[in-house]
Amino acid sequence: MKINLDKIILFLIFISVFIQIPLFLVSGSSYARFYHLLIPILFLIILFRKEIIFFVNDVFIFFIFILFSIAIHSYFYSFNIYSMQIIFCMLIYYIVLNIAYYLKNEEQTYILKLVFMIFLFIVLFKCLFYYDSLLDAYETKQASLINVLWIVAGNHNLELTYISFIAIFYIKEKIPFYILLLLLIILSTIYMSRIGIVEVFILLYFKYMMKFSLNKNIIYIFILSCLLCVFLILIFYFFDNNQFIERFTNIEEELNNTSSGRGMLWYGGLKLLEDNIFGYGIGNSISLTKEIVGKNFLENNFHNIYLQYMLDLGVIPMLFYFYIIIKRIILSKDLTLKLFIIIFSLVSFIQFTGYDIVFWSFLALNDINNFKYRLNKGYL
């Protein structure tokens, strides 16, 4: 494949999305990462183009909503440095729009899969390098995972989620897809991560729906049974306790517990929402939640995009964001990117902040490819 500037920029964008190298601590537990330096530079480069692709679409309106919200809430509450993250989301959205417009879908896929392979290689290398800390996860109840250098903001849970995103792009293939699922199961067991196992079943569900056929039911039931057997063997044979099982069986207790975990976050967040449905500003609501629950925890988000947006921006921008998601799910012509949006929106109930560059980069890819599709069909 011929190397040109567009391909290099798209590669750099997505490699920075998947390998989020921390540079220095900004505030609390938030780090400035490599993409914070890279994205402005790449945006300046595309400004030298003779023709800039610029959409005044629903995403543009949503960004205006957010900027207006930042200004208003900064006046009534305070400005939080985390508000700047939305600028990087905006920049990466328009960078991908302008670069992917000049690349064929096959070229985009080639670049993405190259990034995926690099990411997976680093994940596996990291597992070997931090072998001792990972094996101690069960004995320390995940405390040893603090010693591991994670390449994705959000640590082990988001690393697994990124692997599930990669699996989406191989969902039409058999061997690579099931290898990625097996990797998800193994790493989820080692990390004691519930979300990884949940994502395995979500991916299997969509794989099954794509291949729905009465004659193939037995095959998929057999594959699913084999994956479950591997999962159970890893738990009951290689590990001498049932902590991982308890992480699934005590979910209801954890959510009802308002003194720790997501139960604590969501309880405090809902209490704030009762007092104000117009938001408190990006980054401010989490600090106010600390006052409600009476704990100085290290979390910088609510692990729920929809609650996060309601508390940061208000109910109306959150509903507009929901509209953006639903519209793409209905109208997207690219099955792979449609599945990404669906799975991202599902996982968003328990992960992500809403200001995640992985979402906005793939959303831009979806939007520009839909635009080119309509252009080719003569709809525009």
Side-chain angles (χ1 to χ4, degrees):
M1 186 175 70
K2 184 179 179 181
I3 300 297
N4 61 30
L5 183 60
D6 294 324
K7 295 170 185 176
I8 293 173
I9 291 178
L10 193 67
F11 172 80
L12 289 174
I13 279 293
F14 278 98
I15 202 71
S16 69
V17 167
F18 275 81
I19 304 174
Q20 300 177 5
I21 302 171
L23 299 179
F24 53 87
L25 193 65
V26 177
S27 65
S29 58
S30 299
Y31 282 85
R33 298 181 180 272
F34 175 65
Y35 70 81
H36 289 117
L37 297 179
L38 179 67
I39 289 175
I41 295 172
L42 295 181
F43 186 76
L44 289 175
I45 291 175
I46 69 168
L47 285 180
F48 287 97
R49 284 190 178 280
K50 294 181 179 179
E51 183 179 357
I52 301 296
I53 306 300
F54 185 78
F55 283 171
V56 182
N57 60 354
D58 49 5
V59 174
F60 175 77
I61 295 171
F62 182 69
F63 284 144
I64 295 299
F65 261 128
I66 296 180
L67 293 176
F68 180 76
S69 172
I70 291 173
I72 296 298
H73 289 120
S74 295
Y75 177 79
F76 286 101
Y77 296 97
S78 63
F79 176 79
N80 191 295
I81 189 65
Y82 193 67
S83 299
M84 295 299 297
Q85 181 66 13
I86 196 59
I87 303 298
F88 295 97
C89 294
M90 293 170 58
L91 292 179
I92 202 168
Y93 179 81
Y94 285 106
I95 290 173
V96 174
L97 280 182
N98 279 271
I99 295 303
Y101 177 78
Y102 296 99
L103 296 174
K104 298 178 181 178
N105 288 14
E106 296 79 13
E107 293 174 319
Q108 296 172 18
T109 301
Y110 178 90
I111 293 169
L112 284 175
K113 289 190 174 182
L114 178 60
V115 170
F116 296 159
M117 291 302 102
I118 295 173
F119 174 80
L120 291 171
F121 174 80
I122 294 177
V123 167
L124 294 175
F125 178 79
K126 180 209 64 189
C127 288
L128 293 174
F129 187 83
Y130 290 100
Y131 177 80
D132 293 335
S133 295
L134 296 178
L135 285 186
D136 290 341
Y138 271 71
E139 293 183 4
T140 63
K141 296 184 178 180
Q142 295 184 303
S144 63
L145 297 181
I146 298 175
N147 302 323
V148 180
L149 177 63
W150 304 99
I151 58 175
V152 176
N155 300 339
H156 60 286
N157 284 326
L158 279 191
E159 179 183 286
L160 294 171
T161 299
Y162 272 46
I163 295 175
S164 72
F165 290 160
I166 292 173
I168 295 171
F169 287 81
Y170 292 92
I171 200 166
K172 296 178 182 178
E173 305 175 35
K174 288 185 178 180
I175 295 177
F177 178 74
Y178 289 111
I179 289 176
L180 286 168
L181 285 194
L182 183 59
L183 178 63
L184 263 178
I185 292 172
I186 293 173
L187 291 181
S188 297
T189 306
I190 293 173
Y191 300 164
M192 295 178 64
S193 171
R194 293 169 294 196
I195 186 59
I197 299 301
V198 171
E199 288 163 349
V200 166
F201 284 98
I202 291 176
L203 288 165
L204 280 172
Y205 171 78
F206 285 108
K207 175 74 171 179
Y208 177 78
M209 292 300 293
M210 287 174 57
K211 298 289 186 179
F212 185 80
S213 170
L214 185 60
N215 295 329
K216 294 184 178 180
N217 282 352
I218 296 176
I219 296 176
Y220 283 96
I221 291 173
F222 174 75
I223 293 172
L224 179 58
S225 300
C226 289
L227 289 170
L228 284 173
C229 287
V230 171
F231 171 59
L232 293 174
I233 289 172
L234 285 170
I235 292 177
F236 292 111
Y237 184 78
F238 289 103
F239 300 99
D240 58 358
N241 58 55
N242 62 351
Q243 292 180 36
F244 190 35
I245 298 175
E246 290 177 357
R247 285 181 59 78
F248 282 92
T249 58
N250 70 353
I251 289 178
E252 182 178 358
E253 178 183 345
E254 180 180 324
L255 293 179
N256 290 330
N257 182 4
T258 58
S259 63
S260 64
R262 282 169 171 76
M264 170 187 63
L265 289 170
W266 296 348
Y267 168 80
L270 291 174
K271 283 292 184 183
L272 282 178
L273 195 61
E274 289 178 3
D275 296 333
N276 178 14
I277 64 171
F278 298 105
Y280 297 87
I282 297 175
N284 293 332
S285 50
I286 197 72
S287 59
L288 294 172
T289 301
K290 293 178 182 180
E291 298 177 9
I292 289 178
V293 299
K295 286 191 175 184
N296 188 27
F297 48 83
L298 296 177
E299 297 288 352
N300 62 2
N301 68 89
F302 289 93
H303 296 284
N304 184 310
I305 278 184
Y306 311 104
L307 180 60
Q308 186 85 47
Y309 275 151
M310 283 191 287
L311 290 169
D312 285 356
L313 310 173
V315 173
I316 295 176
M318 191 283 293
L319 292 175
F320 196 80
Y321 169 80
F322 195 67
Y323 162 79
I324 290 173
I325 294 292
I326 297 300
K327 180 181 176 182
R328 267 67 180 182
I329 292 174
I330 295 173
L331 299 179
S332 178
K333 300 300 180 183
D334 189 313
L335 178 61
T336 302
L337 292 172
K338 183 195 290 272
L339 283 178
F340 168 84
I341 295 171
I342 292 172
I343 292 176
F344 182 91
S345 62
L346 291 174
V347 177
S348 294
F349 281 100
I350 51 177
Q351 284 203 107
F352 294 113
T353 66
Y355 317 108
D356 311 273
I357 59 169
V358 65
F359 170 74
W360 296 106
S361 56
F362 279 109
L363 186 73
L365 209 57
N366 174 81
D367 288 357
I368 198 63
N369 287 343
N370 273 355
F371 173 78
K372 290 193 293 184
Y373 173 85
R374 295 172 63 201
L375 194 64
N376 292 334
K377 292 293 184 178
Y379 298 151
L380 297 176

